[in-house]
């Protein structure tokens, strides 16, 4: 079920908040009847908010960076512009590199940096006369490499982020995939991941040869499409663009993609209206959690081990120690509760 966020889009400055370490609380110890089981009362204190940016909103936020954070008003950067105060339109993708935001501007065919507080864009190098349909960026932090794809030429590109000079990787190796508009680099395997919107396929791309490899088929959805990708803690996330019947992008929602064949696509947070989500920068994600059994005289059945207030049943009387684990970026954090089943 999709939930729409009802909020006016304000033009405002926005910064990334530092978030305290998540602290799971498994709730108070309990003594219950064996036949009735127990209802757990877990909590996650200092849980990180869902906080992400996308770009090129619609209507009042056109040509801006749209910013969502749990519990905060929906906001947007000042409209992106150059030193002559001309609108720097259609920010197709954004990347944060060492604290600096880089973007690719498809209309002017040029790489740029942007000051999020002022919206001022600074062009890097000269516009390309060869590659005119570049809508996506991906960054390799180890090799300091910035990658892109020319949509029409089916060509993987490498940008020098200091000069804007473009180098081809392979030669039109992506001819099988007609509509790549989403690209992300995965440090754990050194591969680029991309989505072909036309075929609804997730693929990898070799950064040295440009050769693609099929990963999985994504479920086709006539009212949505994946616009951009980003890895966070080795998990793949996407900005999902929602469409009207004419195929126009009218809203967005964050989505988690299970890369296993047939794995689920999970929507996160509310639908954000008036937004064409061509980019994705994730600032923080709520930590995932799981109930499990640490010790006990018998078997334990959780109604939903991923719910903080789940019910739980026990096979035999005795003391059971149950563990609530929160999966923080720094590693698992655990709290326990003892349930005595009489």
């Amino acid at each position: 079920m999709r939930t729409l966020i009802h909020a006016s889009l304000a033009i405002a400055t926005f910064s990334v908040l530092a978030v305290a370490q998540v602290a799971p609380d498994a709730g108070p110890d309990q003594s219950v009847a064996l036949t009735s089981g127990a209802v757990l009362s877990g909590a996650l204190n200092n849980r990180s908010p869902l906080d992400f940016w996308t770009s090129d909103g619609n209507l009042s936020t056109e040509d801006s960076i749209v910013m969502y954070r749990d519990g905060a008003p929906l906001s947007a950067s000042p409209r992106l512009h150059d030193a002559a105060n001309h609108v720097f339109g259609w920010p197709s993708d954004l990347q944060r590199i060492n604290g600096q935001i880089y973007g690719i501007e498809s209309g002017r065919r040029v790489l740029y940096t942007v000051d999020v507080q002022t919206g001022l864009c600074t062009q890097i190098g000269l516009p390309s006369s060869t590659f005119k349909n570049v809508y996506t960026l991906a960054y390799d932090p180890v090799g300091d490499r910035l990658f892109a794809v020319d949509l029409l030429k089916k060509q993987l590109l490498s940008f020098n982020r200091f000069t804007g000079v473009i180098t081809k990787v392979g030669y039109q190796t992506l001819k099988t995939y007609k509509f790549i508009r989403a690209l992300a680099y995965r440090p754990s395997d050194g591969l680029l991941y991309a989505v072909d919107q036309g075929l609804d396929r997730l693929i990898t791309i070799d950064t040295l040869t440009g050769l693609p490899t099929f990963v999985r088929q994504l479920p086709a959805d006539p009212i949505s499409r994946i616009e951009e990708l980003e890895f966070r803690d080795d998990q793949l996330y996407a900005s999902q663009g929602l469409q009207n019947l004419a195929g126009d992008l009218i809203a967005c929602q964050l989505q988690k993609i299970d890369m296993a064949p047939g794995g689920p696509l999970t929507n996160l947070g509310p639908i954000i209206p008036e937004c064409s989500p061509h980019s994705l920068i994730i600032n923080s994600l709520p930590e995932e959690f799981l109930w499990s059994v640490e010790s006990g005289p018998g078997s334990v059945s959780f109604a939903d081990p991923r719910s903080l207030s789940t019910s739980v049943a026990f096979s035999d009387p005795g003391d059971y120690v149950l563990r609530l684990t929160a999966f923080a970026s720094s590693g698992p954090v655990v709290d326990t509760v003892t349930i005595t089943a009489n």
Side-chain angles (χ1 to χ4, degrees):
M1 179 179 179
R2 292 191 170 105
T3 301
L4 178 65
I5 183 170
H6 296 281
S8 60
L9 288 167
I11 303 299
T13 58
F14 217 60
S15 60
V16 180
L17 280 179
V19 179
Q21 171 71 43
V22 64
D25 180 355
D29 295 343
Q30 301 181 48
S31 181
V32 300
L34 175 65
T35 54
S36 61
V39 177
L40 301 175
S41 301
L44 293 183
N45 299 315
N46 297 326
R47 193 180 188 190
S48 302
L50 177 62
D51 183 337
F52 68 94
W53 299 351
T54 185
S55 62
D56 195 43
N58 296 334
L59 302 178
S60 62
T61 58
E62 188 73 16
D63 304 318
S64 299
I65 301 173
V66 180
M67 304 164 176
Y68 173 82
R69 180 190 290 143
D70 284 339
L74 198 62
S75 62
S77 73
R79 200 161 274 196
L80 305 190
H81 61 278
D82 61 15
N85 208 30
H86 298 137
V87 172
F88 214 84
W90 202 347
S92 301
D93 194 14
L94 302 172
Q95 288 286 319
R96 180 185 286 115
I97 302 175
N98 301 328
Q100 173 67 63
I101 303 299
Y102 288 75
I104 184 70
E105 210 285 350
S106 301
R108 303 188 190 188
R109 308 180 301 280
V110 69
L111 191 67
Y112 65 93
T113 60
V114 57
D115 184 325
V116 177
Q117 305 300 326
T118 65
L120 178 63
C121 298
T122 303
Q123 181 174 306
I124 301 174
L126 299 175
S128 170
S129 59
T130 303
F131 303 105
K132 303 179 181 180
N133 295 278
V134 181
Y135 299 92
T136 184
L137 293 172
Y139 180 63
D140 163 20
V142 177
D144 194 14
R145 298 179 296 174
L146 191 61
F147 294 99
V149 170
D150 185 304
L151 178 67
L152 294 186
K153 293 182 182 294
K154 321 303 177 192
Q155 179 66 57
L156 181 64
L157 307 172
S158 177
F159 274 85
N160 184 314
R161 66 183 178 94
F162 301 103
T163 65
V165 173
I166 303 172
T167 304
K168 293 190 295 184
V169 181
Y171 178 69
Q172 295 184 341
T173 55
L174 304 174
K175 290 184 290 185
T176 307
Y177 300 99
K178 309 295 184 183
F179 218 79
I180 292 178
R181 288 283 293 270
L183 190 69
Y185 180 82
R186 188 184 187 189
S188 64
D189 60 17
L191 294 173
L192 292 165
Y193 284 69
V195 168
D196 184 301
Q197 290 180 346
L199 299 173
D200 293 311
R201 290 180 180 176
L202 177 67
I203 64 172
T204 60
I205 305 173
D206 189 289
T207 61
L208 297 179
T209 65
L211 293 173
T213 301
F214 174 79
V215 175
R216 64 160 294 186
Q217 186 69 41
L218 300 172
D221 186 345
I223 62 169
S224 73
R225 67 190 195 216
I226 291 174
E227 285 292 297
E228 194 47 77
L229 300 172
E230 182 174 333
F231 279 96
R232 184 87 173 187
D233 296 329
D234 208 40
Q235 302 294 314
L236 183 59
Y237 296 86
S239 57
Q240 177 189 211
L242 306 181
Q243 303 165 270
N244 59 20
L245 295 179
D248 302 318
L249 291 171
I250 57 172
C252 80
Q253 189 169 30
L254 191 65
Q255 189 175 74
K256 182 179 180 181
I257 299 176
D258 189 325
M259 291 180 285
L265 277 63
T266 305
N267 293 329
L268 304 173
I271 293 174
I272 299 176
E274 295 184 17
C275 188
S276 302
H278 299 306
S279 66
L280 179 60
I281 293 179
I282 297 176
N283 299 312
S284 74
L285 292 164
E287 289 83 2
E288 295 184 352
F289 59 90
L290 184 69
W291 286 103
S292 59
V293 182
E294 186 167 295
S295 64
S299 61
V300 177
S301 297
F302 296 96
D304 182 358
R306 297 188 181 278
S307 170
L308 290 171
S309 57
T310 187
S311 60
V312 59
F314 309 97
S315 64
D316 299 288
D319 292 337
Y320 293 82
V321 179
L322 307 182
R323 180 191 300 121
L324 177 60
T325 303
F327 299 96
S329 58
S330 58
V333 187
V334 173
D335 190 39
T336 60
V337 60
T338 299
I339 308 293
T340 300
N342 298 303

